[in-house]
Amino acid sequence: MTDKDTPLAGLRVVELARVLAGPWVGQLLADLGADVIKVESPEGDGTRQWGPPWIERADGTREAAYYHACNRGKRSIVADFTDRDDLVQVADLCSRADVVIENFKPGTLDRFGLDYETISLGNAGVVYCSVTGFGQDGPRRNEPGYDFVIQAMSGMMSITGEPEGEPMKMGISISDLTCGLYSTIAVQSALLMRERTGRGQHIDMALLDCSVSLLANQALSFFATSENPARKGNSHAQVVPYGVFEVADGEVVLAPANDRLFRALMRVLRRDDLADDPRLQDNAGRIANRDWMERELADEVRKWKRDTLLAHCRDAGVPAGPINAIDQVFEDPQVKARGMRMELDGVPSLRSPFRFSDADLVFDKPSPRHGEHDGEIDFLD
């Protein structure tokens, strides 16, 4: 830390959320300087027990690594919503919060007076963000939202995987994480709007909406043609060549995404004949001749050692890279230089990627123990 300010210093956040999408919002806001109070049930956020693997603290206590992925920098208190005194305390926190994050099923918090309508009566400036599987309206509003199910329903799995293989999910909980990111953008936008209007508002975020929005160019391809995009494995539907290629000692990704870069790669591979072939001078031609051209390219690439080819591509300005396992990622000199792996009081952590010229992030404490801050059930001045 330096003496720079933090972007969200002084912002008060109550997190009534568990698992991933909601807590991801809370962690991002905490990293940006907000005071985030995580309100947990007596049983605690379920991800505390989602191990192995486990992370053990210096005092011998342990929680699942999953829990630590999305709860850094917060304070934790325990509240039983069926206990009147606990409920009064939580309602009081919400009445003085700038932001409330919740991910209960629609209507659940109405029973406890912790819904937006009730809280906003005494706190007109509150920005209240609801994160659910399907949103606050529509025929599926009361159904639970699980990342895997949302990936399937959103169309993402239909375009992920090998052409002849089964539909595949992502190796990360992309629907949860994306909803968390979109929700953070929405919260910050509503806070900025509050500066103009003096009023907060209710933000309705749905995992399905956020995942459908990620279809991006694939959705536009469907809109333009009325045809479902096909799974293409590691190939690209609109750019050729673009994919995974075998080298003599492994595999690499090659992504020459325009005509100039294609010709540059062919020069690296000493295939001037392909660089100058009239059939391959633009992307449309390369798509039309994809099969034979990629076979020619694959034969050439197999002659190279990985690091040698990547060095030549780097010198020629051709986008290319190794396919790293996770251990290799954190040994990469660039990842090390950017400080993406951190340790907070002996607890490993993954850095948020924000970097500001005149502001700091807050990385001063790991994820809280269950109820660690019960004696501080208040916002700090």
Side-chain angles (χ1 to χ4, degrees):
M1 294 291 293
T2 70
D3 58 358
K4 294 178 183 176
D5 199 358
T6 59
L8 299 182
L11 191 74
R12 298 171 170 181
V13 179
V14 174
E15 180 190 298
L16 309 177
R18 65 272 191 224
V19 188
L20 183 52
W24 195 249
V25 184
Q27 179 169 278
L28 290 172
L29 296 177
D31 287 349
L32 291 164
D35 180 9
V36 180
I37 295 181
K38 181 180 181 71
V39 180
E40 299 189 66
S41 70
E43 296 75 30
D45 189 322
T47 60
R48 289 180 180 274
Q49 304 305 319
W50 281 16
W54 306 96
I55 290 178
E56 187 168 323
R57 302 182 194 251
D59 62 3
T61 60
R62 71 174 191 173
E63 300 95 359
Y66 195 113
Y67 164 74
H68 286 286
C70 51
N71 287 290
R72 172 182 60 233
K74 305 172 187 178
R75 296 191 285 160
S76 168
I77 64 170
V78 175
D80 182 350
F81 289 177
T82 65
D83 181 283
R84 176 176 172 76
D85 290 340
D86 283 6
L87 190 56
V88 167
Q89 288 178 316
V90 174
D92 179 62
L93 281 174
C94 292
S95 74
R96 293 180 289 119
D98 296 295
V99 177
V100 174
I101 306 160
E102 65 92 6
N103 65 352
F104 288 80
K105 287 183 183 179
T108 300
L109 292 181
D110 297 13
R111 303 197 307 265
F112 304 103
L114 297 176
D115 55 295
Y116 171 71
E117 286 74 16
T118 303
I119 290 173
S120 63
L121 289 175
N123 183 1
V126 70
V127 171
Y128 188 106
C129 182
S130 294
V131 178
T132 60
F134 299 97
Q136 300 296 306
D137 54 23
R140 294 186 181 272
R141 68 183 292 270
N142 291 319
E143 295 182 20
Y146 287 84
D147 181 273
F148 195 1
V149 175
I150 298 297
Q151 288 195 47
M153 292 182 64
S154 68
M156 288 197 295
M157 288 180 62
S158 75
I159 55 174
T160 305
E162 293 298 327
E164 303 305 320
E166 65 179 2
M168 295 295 291
K169 71 178 182 67
M170 290 280 290
I172 57 173
S173 298
I174 189 67
S175 295
D176 279 328
L177 294 171
T178 299
C179 191
L181 291 169
Y182 273 130
S183 297
T184 303
I185 294 169
V187 166
Q188 293 175 313
S189 299
L191 289 169
L192 186 60
M193 185 174 178
R194 187 178 71 174
E195 292 297 307
R196 300 195 309 272
T197 67
R199 300 187 307 275
Q201 59 186 296
H202 187 195
I203 300 170
D204 173 11
M205 300 299 300
L207 269 68
L208 182 61
D209 296 352
C210 293
S211 294
V212 170
S213 77
L214 289 184
L215 294 178
N217 59 299
Q218 296 282 31
L220 268 293
S221 177
F222 169 73
F223 295 160
T225 66
S226 296
E227 296 179 359
N228 284 319
R231 290 193 298 280
K232 291 187 174 296
N234 288 312
S235 297
H236 195 291
Q238 286 86 32
V239 180
V240 177
Y242 197 98
V244 174
F245 293 87
E246 289 186 12
V247 288
D249 56 348
E251 295 170 317
V252 297
V253 164
L254 299 175
N258 59 40
D259 299 340
R260 179 184 61 80
L261 292 173
F262 169 74
R263 288 189 285 274
L265 176 60
M266 294 306 103
R267 309 285 185 206
V268 166
L269 298 175
R270 304 183 185 96
R271 289 298 303 265
D272 289 358
D273 59 316
L274 295 178
D276 299 331
D277 192 310
R279 295 169 293 178
L280 305 178
Q281 292 308 295
D282 59 28
N283 191 63
R286 293 192 292 275
I287 289 177
N289 293 280
R290 180 195 295 260
D291 290 343
W292 75 262
M293 186 211 64
E294 288 196 336
R295 284 197 298 271
E296 291 286 323
L297 180 56
D299 288 342
E300 293 300 329
V301 173
R302 286 193 195 97
K303 301 173 185 178
W304 291 73
K305 292 278 191 177
R306 187 193 73 169
D307 291 347
T308 303
L309 176 59
L310 292 178
H312 278 73
C313 286
R314 183 168 57 249
D315 292 344
V318 176
I323 301 173
N324 287 331
I326 302 300
D327 62 334
Q328 295 171 311
V329 171
F330 292 104
E331 289 302 318
D332 185 287
Q334 183 64 26
V335 175
K336 284 186 171 182
R338 301 290 285 182
M340 291 302 294
R341 180 172 182 168
M342 308 185 300
E343 194 164 288
L344 305 173
D345 292 341
V347 175
S349 200
L350 183 63
R351 187 188 192 280
S352 285
F354 313 115
R355 286 178 178 267
F356 299 92
S357 64
D358 195 32
D360 270 329
L361 300 184
V362 178
F363 300 127
D364 59 353
K365 54 182 178 290
S367 306
R369 296 171 179 81
H370 184 216
E372 181 178 348
H373 303 94
D374 278 340
E376 305 171 12
I377 189 164
D378 201 349
F379 284 113
L380 297 176
D381 292 330

